[in-house]
Amino acid sequence: MKADLRGGTVHEVVMAGPSRPSDRASIRRTNLGLVLRLLRDSGPRSRARIASDTGLPRPTITNLIAELVELGLVAEGESERDGSVGRPSQAVEIDGRTICGVGLEINVDYLAVLALTLRGDVAFERRIAVDVRTAGPEAVLDRAAALIREAGAAVEATGARVVGVALAAPGNVDLGTGRVAFASNIGWRDVAAVDGLRRRLGRDAPALRLENDAKLGAIAEYLVASASDIHDLIYITGETGVGGGIISGGQLMRGARGFAGEIGHMPLDPGGRPCACGRVGCWETMVGLGTLLRHAADAGDPVHDPSLDVESRLADLRRRADGGDPRTLDALTRIADDLALGVALLVDVLNPRAVVLGGYFAVFADYLLPRVRDGVARRVIAADSGGCEVLPSTLGFTAPARGGAYLALDAVYQDPSGTA
Amino acid sequence: MKADLRGGTVHEVVMAGPSRPSDRASIRRTNLGLVLRLLRDSGPRSRARIASDTGLPRPTITNLIAELVELGLVAEGESERDGSVGRPSQAVEIDGRTICGVGLEINVDYLAVLALTLRGDVAFERRIAVDVRTAGPEAVLDRAAALIREAGAAVEATGARVVGVALAAPGNVDLGTGRVAFASNIGWRDVAAVDGLRRRLGRDAPALRLENDAKLGAIAEYLVASASDIHDLIYITGETGVGGGIISGGQLMRGARGFAGEIGHMPLDPGGRPCACGRVGCWETMVGLGTLLRHAADAGDPVHDPSLDVESRLADLRRRADGGDPRTLDALTRIADDLALGVALLVDVLNPRAVVLGGYFAVFADYLLPRVRDGVARRVIAADSGGCEVLPSTLGFTAPARGGAYLALDAVYQDPSGTA
């Protein structure tokens, strides 16, 4: 529930008709996007139903669909009975198998790439272990560019092409300049990531953009959760760093300058450990992946080795937990309690319908969640946790790269004719 | 900046035209509200300019204005030159001197009532000292009803009438049932506030609604701040309890069930004092008004006396600070540091353009703000505090009641023809 103080509810503004002049071409572009997003969000349907869903005249819809088919974005699908008698009408659906978006995530100890078709099918996926902090920005951008090229080649081998790439970085980013302003866990400060990639990929590279990893993860999770009618959620990354992406009323909350969701540095342990950011007792020092590993294993233990893939190290740790290893179980209990502390705070402040725990939190969901849920229920001021569920991510470590691929495809949904 | 994941930006949806069928009468109602809100938000203007601002045809605007004039909501104003040659056109403006909204705030040690005309002029204002916790809900609702009657009589004496009353309560409220679910600082749990008032005011009472005090304060502050193009802000009440109201992209953030903004119970002092909510070390125990008073004066000191008006007690304390009293100054320093801690956390999470400090924080703004701003700048992860300014409320203790009066008038802005 939201109240728009500027002009009534969105619905009312919509009903009130256009609020500024617009030319025929831009209306057509907008309507193409409207129809394409409807098919994405609500599934295949007949032209008649699209007309009634959008309020646009039937002949307009017929023309728009013809253009979307020509662009290779929409295809004739199954027949559909609209619940009426008479012959079934032909449904149309998103096609777009020839168009892909690519997301590339830079994290503390891995790079991950994922390509999605316009329908949302995964066309390519890969993750490689990289000690990003030690390697430094130039070497990391080399490897990132190689991964993007590899994804592009794989996509092209299927007869498709990449329309855009979004880079997910674990820190403050400046969307306008494409620079990573500050990412404490990888030691990057003011790195021109987009320019660096463009230089490496050459002039024919697809459109490149940059966003914070947790925000991209939140977008990916929202596209899952919205199917359950959840439109207010917080996605929390569970990596070395802990970041947040906030969806409020179906919208990504970016804040005044795009920095919203910096939840890893909440000062919840005043007498606690130093954080990579230079402060003391940040929430990240209590629940970040490094802390789980430190609680669970001594320094020489292979679970600490950044040259090994993070999922295989966590699988190792899971085996210990499943085997009843007391130190591992105790470590998970401590993490659960500290996780509940910060999640409850965020639930008090934001009253979401769901908190989605990503990264390693999702890997250990069966160990962590019962205790986290109890702690949240006990701490949140509103009864029944204000209606909030704590859920494990179903996307795991792929959420930010997947959200990046969605974002890269977003340009197509905003202006389908721009892809021709 | 926001990304609407459900259907592109709001602007694009607007351009795409109506998305569901609507009848002529409801379109007319919607357009009346659209024009009235335009005049509220953007000031007096000519019919021609209203037509171009709204995108509605000129003859439609002429009809709509005629209806709004007939309803007593709009009046012919000054002549206006649109920058074009020829004779100046007649501007129209909000009139509505005959229509008032009333806000009534219940706080820990006072009740406050404020009546606003549709133009935003204060028609009546009063605050009385009440020890709300000791008095109990029934006695408090008696006094609240008497204040509402007093405001109504004063408004009627000017030839106007009250179209609605909004009650501001310091805690979790249930808008649907009009019940105060939980308000720890006044000891209310599941109090049927709206029903109780309706019983006292009789069947002819204007429409009654209930909202959280900090959310109403945020609405009032946003109507001030939006003039400076600030559309993302957090309003923080500075009373015995500390609550928050969040405006994001010009919208009040309510969260999934209307509980967003519960910032007083962030666990920032793990080894700290017990809170009225039953937890330990909540932010409220560090920066609430009771804590300032405890830091500044011993138990027998008159600044602790709840039978005295809160502003006169604070004026007393201000005189001590202005006189250089070391204990008072030291108390303010401690409050400033603890305030910076929580404000920085909220700035990290929400990245607002402004944090507006209300209640007693505003009374001591010149003592508190320099230190709070320094602390916030030092702690916030994003450079330059993410572009956030920390500002004192200019509305002081009246913000929640004023926001309530705005909310009560909102029904008129949503459906102007409903007031006839």
Side-chain angles (χ1 to χ4, degrees):
Chain A
M1 283 172 65
K2 307 187 93 187
D4 185 337
L5 304 171
R6 283 200 287 217
T9 64
V10 170
H11 173 61
E12 279 163 338
V13 175
V14 169
M15 291 209 309
S19 66
R20 48 163 139 163
S22 53
D23 59 77
R24 224 166 253 278
S26 84
I27 290 178
R28 186 166 180 84
R29 262 200 313 275
T30 302
N31 287 339
L32 284 171
L34 189 73
V35 169
L36 200 62
R37 292 193 300 270
L38 175 71
L39 292 173
R40 172 189 67 186
D41 299 336
S42 309
R45 56 203 51 219
S46 70
R47 289 169 177 79
R49 189 142 161 230
I50 295 170
S52 92
D53 288 346
T54 59
L56 295 171
R58 178 67 200 270
T60 304
I61 294 298
T62 302
N63 287 336
L64 293 170
I65 295 294
E67 187 166 344
L68 291 170
V69 168
E70 185 140 325
L71 288 165
L73 303 177
V74 156
E76 306 283 342
E78 307 277 296
S79 295
E80 179 194 58
R81 287 197 171 272
D82 278 347
S84 59
V85 291
R87 82 187 157 82
S89 53
Q90 187 80 3
V92 293
E93 60 186 12
I94 297 276
D95 183 354
R97 279 164 300 187
T98 60
I99 285 177
C100 283
V102 168
L104 185 121
E105 183 191 0
I106 297 177
N107 212 300
V108 175
D109 40 19
Y110 65 82
L111 302 185
V113 68
L114 192 146
L116 280 184
T117 71
L118 201 59
R119 295 170 82 128
D121 299 324
V122 175
F124 182 77
E125 185 176 2
R126 204 175 155 206
R127 190 176 56 239
I128 58 173
V130 179
D131 184 348
V132 167
R133 181 187 272 277
T134 307
E138 294 303 319
V140 168
L141 290 174
D142 285 346
R143 312 243 354 222
L147 274 181
I148 292 168
R149 269 195 225 96
E150 194 182 338
V155 163
E156 273 163 34
T158 70
R161 69 199 167 86
V162 173
V163 292
V165 177
L167 190 64
N172 276 179
V173 300
D174 183 325
L175 304 195
T177 63
R179 300 175 88 89
V180 177
F182 180 48
S184 57
N185 284 301
I186 56 173
W188 286 19
R189 191 179 282 275
D190 199 29
V191 172
V194 166
D195 281 354
L197 272 184
R198 191 173 287 126
R199 219 165 34 240
R200 286 165 174 86
L201 293 171
R203 301 200 56 158
D204 305 335
L208 292 169
R209 51 203 294 191
L210 174 66
E211 183 50 287
N212 166 270
D213 59 349
K215 289 193 184 67
L216 292 177
I219 288 174
E221 296 292 348
Y222 176 56
L223 289 160
V224 176
S226 60
S228 311
D229 210 27
I230 292 176
H231 304 290
D232 299 85
L233 69 81
I234 309 171
Y235 167 70
I236 303 181
T237 65
E239 325 259 337
T240 303
V242 174
I246 302 164
I247 304 283
S248 169
Q251 299 191 313
L252 177 66
M253 187 174 197
R254 305 197 76 261
R257 288 201 187 162
F259 299 140
E262 197 62 82
I263 63 176
H265 303 280
M266 302 192 294
L268 300 187
D269 188 17
R273 296 178 63 92
C275 179
C277 73
R279 294 161 190 74
V280 163
C282 297
W283 193 36
E284 191 166 294
T285 66
M286 306 165 74
V287 299
L289 176 55
T291 305
L292 169 69
L293 298 177
R294 205 177 53 244
H295 287 338
D298 294 327
D301 195 298
V303 298
H304 286 289
D305 183 352
S307 72
L308 300 176
D309 180 65
V310 63
E311 288 209 42
S312 73
R313 289 146 65 199
L314 293 175
D316 184 354
L317 216 53
R318 251 212 86 100
R319 275 188 298 276
R320 300 183 198 179
D322 294 347
D325 174 55
R327 179 161 176 186
T328 308
L329 294 174
D330 184 55
L332 288 166
T333 301
R334 287 177 66 182
I335 294 286
D337 289 344
D338 290 339
L339 200 47
L341 189 72
V343 168
L345 187 164
L346 294 170
V347 171
D348 271 343
V349 174
L350 297 166
N351 185 217
R353 250 295 271 116
V355 172
V356 181
L357 300 179
Y360 91 82
F361 301 138
V363 172
F364 290 100
D366 46 344
Y367 289 98
L368 296 172
L369 256 63
R371 205 170 167 97
V372 171
R373 288 174 178 144
D374 276 0
V376 168
R378 221 172 30 244
R379 287 181 170 278
V380 168
I381 292 284
D384 184 27
S385 301
C388 178
E389 294 173 88
V390 182
L391 303 171
S393 164
T394 54
L395 304 173
F397 285 92
T398 70
R402 182 181 287 262
Y406 277 117
L407 187 69
L409 289 170
D410 192 53
V412 179
Y413 283 105
Q414 297 305 329
D415 179 9
S417 56
T419 59
Chain B
M1 283 172 67
K2 308 187 92 186
D4 185 338
L5 303 170
R6 283 200 289 216
T9 64
V10 170
H11 173 61
E12 280 163 337
V13 173
V14 169
M15 292 209 307
S19 66
R20 49 162 137 162
S22 53
D23 60 76
R24 223 167 254 278
S26 84
I27 290 178
R28 185 165 180 84
R29 262 201 312 275
T30 302
N31 286 341
L32 285 171
L34 188 74
V35 169
L36 199 63
R37 293 193 299 270
L38 175 71
L39 292 173
R40 173 189 66 185
D41 299 336
S42 308
R45 58 203 49 219
S46 69
R47 288 170 178 79
R49 190 144 160 229
I50 295 171
S52 92
D53 287 345
T54 58
L56 294 171
R58 178 66 199 270
T60 304
I61 295 297
T62 302
N63 287 336
L64 293 171
I65 295 293
E67 186 167 344
L68 290 170
V69 168
E70 184 141 327
L71 288 165
L73 303 176
V74 157
E76 306 283 342
E78 308 276 298
S79 296
E80 179 193 59
R81 286 198 171 271
D82 279 347
S84 58
V85 291
R87 81 188 157 82
S89 54
Q90 186 81 2
V92 293
E93 61 186 11
I94 296 277
D95 184 353
R97 281 164 298 187
T98 60
I99 284 177
C100 283
V102 168
L104 185 121
E105 183 192 0
I106 297 177
N107 212 301
V108 176
D109 39 20
Y110 65 82
L111 303 186
V113 68
L114 193 147
L116 280 184
T117 70
L118 200 60
R119 293 171 83 128
D121 300 324
V122 175
F124 182 76
E125 185 176 1
R126 202 174 158 206
R127 190 176 57 240
I128 57 173
V130 179
D131 184 349
V132 166
R133 182 188 270 276
T134 307
E138 294 303 319
V140 168
L141 291 175
D142 285 345
R143 311 238 2 215
L147 275 180
I148 291 168
R149 270 195 224 98
E150 194 182 337
V155 163
E156 274 163 33
T158 70
R161 71 200 165 85
V162 174
V163 292
V165 177
L167 190 65
N172 276 181
V173 301
D174 183 326
L175 303 196
T177 64
R179 301 174 87 88
V180 176
F182 181 47
S184 56
N185 284 301
I186 55 173
W188 287 18
R189 191 180 282 275
D190 200 28
V191 172
V194 166
D195 281 353
L197 272 184
R198 191 173 288 126
R199 219 165 35 239
R200 286 166 174 84
L201 293 171
R203 303 200 55 158
D204 305 336
L208 292 170
R209 51 203 294 189
L210 172 67
E211 183 50 287
N212 167 269
D213 57 350
K215 289 195 184 67
L216 292 176
I219 289 174
E221 296 292 348
Y222 176 54
L223 289 160
V224 176
S226 60
S228 311
D229 210 27
I230 292 176
H231 303 291
D232 299 85
L233 70 81
I234 309 173
Y235 167 70
I236 303 182
T237 65
E239 325 258 336
T240 304
V242 174
I246 302 164
I247 303 284
S248 168
Q251 300 192 312
L252 177 66
M253 187 174 198
R254 306 197 76 261
R257 288 202 187 161
F259 299 139
E262 197 63 80
I263 63 176
H265 303 280
M266 301 193 293
L268 300 187
D269 188 17
R273 298 178 61 89
C275 180
C277 74
R279 293 161 191 75
V280 163
C282 296
W283 193 35
E284 191 166 295
T285 66
M286 306 165 74
V287 298
L289 175 55
T291 304
L292 170 69
L293 298 177
R294 206 178 52 244
H295 288 338
D298 294 325
D301 195 298
V303 298
H304 287 289
D305 183 353
S307 72
L308 300 175
D309 180 67
V310 64
E311 287 208 40
S312 74
R313 290 147 66 199
L314 293 175
D316 184 354
L317 215 54
R318 250 212 88 98
R319 275 188 298 274
R320 301 183 196 178
D322 293 348
D325 174 56
R327 178 160 177 187
T328 307
L329 293 174
D330 184 54
L332 288 166
T333 300
R334 287 177 67 181
I335 294 287
D337 290 345
D338 289 339
L339 200 47
L341 189 72
V343 168
L345 186 164
L346 294 170
V347 171
D348 271 344
V349 174
L350 297 166
N351 186 216
R353 250 297 271 116
V355 172
V356 181
L357 300 178
Y360 92 82
F361 301 138
V363 172
F364 290 100
D366 46 344
Y367 289 97
L368 296 172
L369 255 64
R371 205 169 167 96
V372 171
R373 287 173 179 145
D374 276 0
V376 168
R378 222 172 29 244
R379 288 182 169 277
V380 168
I381 292 285
D384 184 27
S385 302
C388 179
E389 294 173 88
V390 182
L391 303 171
S393 163
T394 54
L395 303 173
F397 285 93
T398 70
R402 183 181 286 262
Y406 276 118
L407 187 69
L409 288 170
D410 191 53
V412 179
Y413 282 105
Q414 296 306 329
D415 179 10
S417 55
T419 59

